[in-house]
Amino acid sequence: MIIEPKVRGFICVTAHSEGCKKNVLRQINYVKSQGEIVDSPKKVLIIGASTGYGLASRIVASFGCKADTIGVYFERPETEGKLGSAGFYNGRSLDEFSRAEGRLSESINGDAFSDAIKGQAIALIREKFSQIDCIIYSLASPRRTDPVSGETYKSVLKPIEAPFLGKTVNTDTEQVLEIAIDPATEEEIEATRKVMGGEDWERWIEQLLAADVLAKGVRTCAYSYIGPEVTWPIYTHGTIGRAKDHLEQSAKNIQNKLEKLQGEAMISVNKAVVTQASSAIPVVPLYNSILFKIMKQKGIHEGCIEQMYRLFSSHFNANRDEVGRIRLDNLEMRDDVQREVKAIWPRISTENLRTLSDFGGYYQDFLRLFGFGVAGVDYGKDIEIS
Ligand code: NAD
């Protein structure tokens, strides 16, 4: 079968297995080129490990720290002549590459919000890992079923209180559009907190602690985003921002629970990058296109893998802010960078999108998420689907 990209709005519904594999390999090669990270975790559990920041975390853990890893993710497998999702191919490739270098690399494909998957991970740790010394929490999901109540919550990307009026770009048609989004209801704010807040992270840690599978000095880190003013109404001051506030509160609760192991719970505020989750947030793809142009011109552009190498190689200590968060977004938030973003923002339109921004680079990154446009892949070659 010849596999081509089929872009529908902010998602591509096809994925190229060879391209995804090469993407994983490119990130592995980057990590190897940076060198081994000493005094690093050796048994790492990554929740949300198949794409974006979670995949990059797992690659750094496995190839930079030389750690054994368990990756938990929720992806569509390749079955009966049907394509799998990009994350499925990434996870499969990562296991293959890691095992070839003698590391334990186990993947669990299922709903991380459920107690059944938590139980499966604990059984696997007991069987093959004994204990875990680092847990990365990198889930991004549109819905969550609460394992206690059985109720399913759907997250929304909406402003709070006032409607949002602003610009965005349609990735598919390359048009810069004015959009208006009504504020979220109280119910929607709460649902987004249930999905993207820290409740599930805390539940994972509680169950891992109760099972006695966490090592002394264990560290756990979840990811957040703050960004510039242009995205605040929809992000930091919106429903997702409220959920991230909850995630930060959960870090404090988890910290208390880990005291007896002298462990640490951390929040890392990461840079804006192209992932499946971020492509779906209004305004962000346009902001990223402008940001990338500026950061590339200044020679300070980073993707997921560069960010995660910085996180692990700084031993989770890079640029702590006044409330103790790790700030990997320090280059994105530099005054000179944000001043230039601010100057371009009001002028950007469909006509000048490709000159005032790096939309070309953004779109290339977007297609690469699904294994397309990857150097060295023969896209004319038949791909066998099992
Ligand atoms: P992503 O879409 O690339 O990855 C999401 C991961 O979660 C995938 O591995 C997916 O399989 C997994 N997942 C989703 N639902 C699941 C479920 N029910 N069970 C198991 N796994 C599930 O997202 P991302 O952008 O890498 O986001 C990861 C974290 O990083 C999020 O907390 C996000 O807010 C944060 N972050 C992202 C950016 C950015 O620009 N993308 C910036 C800063 C922080």
Side-chain angles (χ1 to χ4, degrees):
M1 184 198 266
I2 305 288
I3 304 158
E4 288 176 342
K6 281 192 192 148
V7 179
R8 304 278 180 268
F10 52 76
I11 188 92
C12 176
V13 294
T14 50
H16 199 282
S17 54
E18 282 301 309
C20 290
K21 189 173 184 175
K22 277 249 156 56
N23 262 340
V24 170
L25 188 60
R26 177 187 58 80
Q27 297 187 64
I28 292 172
N29 288 338
Y30 171 80
V31 171
K32 286 183 171 174
S33 76
Q34 298 300 300
E36 189 176 337
I37 302 168
V38 291
D39 295 332
S40 52
K42 289 291 171 259
K43 308 271 176 195
V44 185
L45 168 65
I46 302 102
I47 302 158
S50 54
T51 54
Y53 274 126
L55 172 67
S57 306
R58 192 175 186 200
I59 292 173
V60 175
S62 182
F63 293 89
C65 307
K66 304 207 183 297
D68 294 330
T69 64
I70 301 178
V72 181
Y73 49 76
F74 206 11
E75 299 291 347
R76 190 182 64 245
E78 181 181 286
T79 44
E80 293 159 10
K82 286 202 185 121
L83 288 180
S85 58
F88 167 76
Y89 295 123
N90 292 339
R92 188 174 74 179
S93 308
L94 195 274
D95 280 339
E96 202 181 303
F97 288 127
S98 294
R99 287 173 190 163
E101 298 207 0
R103 242 90 70 206
L104 267 181
S105 186
E106 299 288 340
S107 294
I108 298 175
N109 190 359
D111 182 5
F113 295 131
S114 71
D115 284 348
I117 290 296
K118 291 179 178 72
Q120 214 174 305
I122 288 166
L124 187 60
I125 297 167
R126 284 196 173 126
E127 188 195 337
K128 296 189 172 170
F129 291 70
S130 169
Q131 285 191 319
I132 290 292
D133 58 5
C134 179
I135 303 125
I136 299 295
Y137 191 82
S138 186
L139 286 187
S141 173
R143 72 185 65 79
R144 167 176 175 234
T145 300
D146 183 328
V148 178
S149 67
E151 200 171 325
T152 299
Y153 296 91
K154 287 187 182 156
S155 64
V156 297
L157 294 160
K158 289 190 178 181
I160 291 175
E161 283 173 14
F164 170 73
L165 298 169
K167 283 181 186 179
T168 194
V169 62
N170 181 322
T171 318
D172 210 356
T173 60
E174 267 189 53
Q175 276 184 307
V176 177
L177 310 160
E178 294 290 334
I179 48 161
I181 305 173
D182 283 334
T185 61
E186 280 304 319
E187 214 180 354
E188 287 173 322
I189 296 170
E190 172 59 8
T192 309
R193 182 191 70 81
K194 288 288 283 188
V195 181
M196 288 299 289
E199 208 172 84
D200 179 64
W201 183 26
E202 225 176 307
R203 198 170 174 84
W204 266 98
I205 302 298
E206 278 165 5
Q207 298 195 7
L208 292 164
L209 267 173
D212 196 21
V213 291
L214 297 183
K216 198 168 169 212
V218 65
R219 281 176 288 188
T220 184
C221 186
Y223 301 144
S224 189
Y225 182 67
I226 297 175
E229 268 175 60
V230 286
T231 62
W232 282 358
I234 200 73
Y235 198 98
T236 300
H237 294 165
T239 49
I240 181 78
R242 280 284 174 88
K244 293 295 185 187
D245 290 346
H246 185 264
L247 190 75
E248 290 194 25
Q249 185 51 50
S250 300
K252 293 187 185 124
N253 301 344
I254 294 171
Q255 176 66 45
N256 290 334
K257 290 179 177 143
L258 292 180
E259 285 305 329
K260 58 183 172 206
L261 289 176
Q262 289 150 33
E264 191 181 3
M266 296 162 282
I267 296 287
S268 175
V269 181
N270 299 346
K271 170 188 181 284
V273 291
V274 188
T275 66
Q276 291 188 36
S278 73
S279 314
I281 307 175
V283 187
V284 169
L286 184 58
Y287 167 70
N288 273 349
S289 303
I290 298 172
L291 179 75
F292 290 6
K293 184 176 175 93
I294 296 162
M295 292 189 81
K296 281 179 187 174
Q297 272 168 354
K298 292 180 185 289
I300 53 172
H301 182 67
E302 291 174 305
C304 291
I305 197 68
E306 290 85 1
Q307 284 265 297
M308 293 302 98
Y309 189 84
R310 264 217 278 153
L311 180 68
F312 280 79
S313 62
S314 74
H315 304 283
F316 298 94
N317 265 319
N319 312 307
R320 295 274 186 145
D321 65 14
E322 63 291 350
V323 290
R325 295 173 299 200
I326 301 158
R327 299 299 297 264
L328 294 176
D329 63 343
N330 58 330
L331 300 176
E332 171 185 354
M333 298 311 289
R334 240 167 56 177
D335 281 351
D336 58 326
V337 172
Q338 287 305 325
R339 234 189 346 261
E340 289 181 40
V341 171
K342 226 174 164 174
I344 293 175
W345 190 260
R347 294 166 51 211
I348 197 108
S349 66
T350 305
E351 291 68 38
N352 61 26
L353 180 66
R354 288 229 174 212
T355 47
L356 287 189
S357 85
D358 182 31
F359 181 77
Y362 172 85
Y363 195 65
Q364 206 173 23
D365 282 359
F366 172 77
L367 285 181
R368 262 199 225 125
L369 296 177
F370 307 93
F372 296 104
V374 179
V377 177
D378 177 2
Y379 289 98
K381 200 181 100 188
D382 254 343
I383 295 286
E384 230 175 275
I385 310 286
S386 58

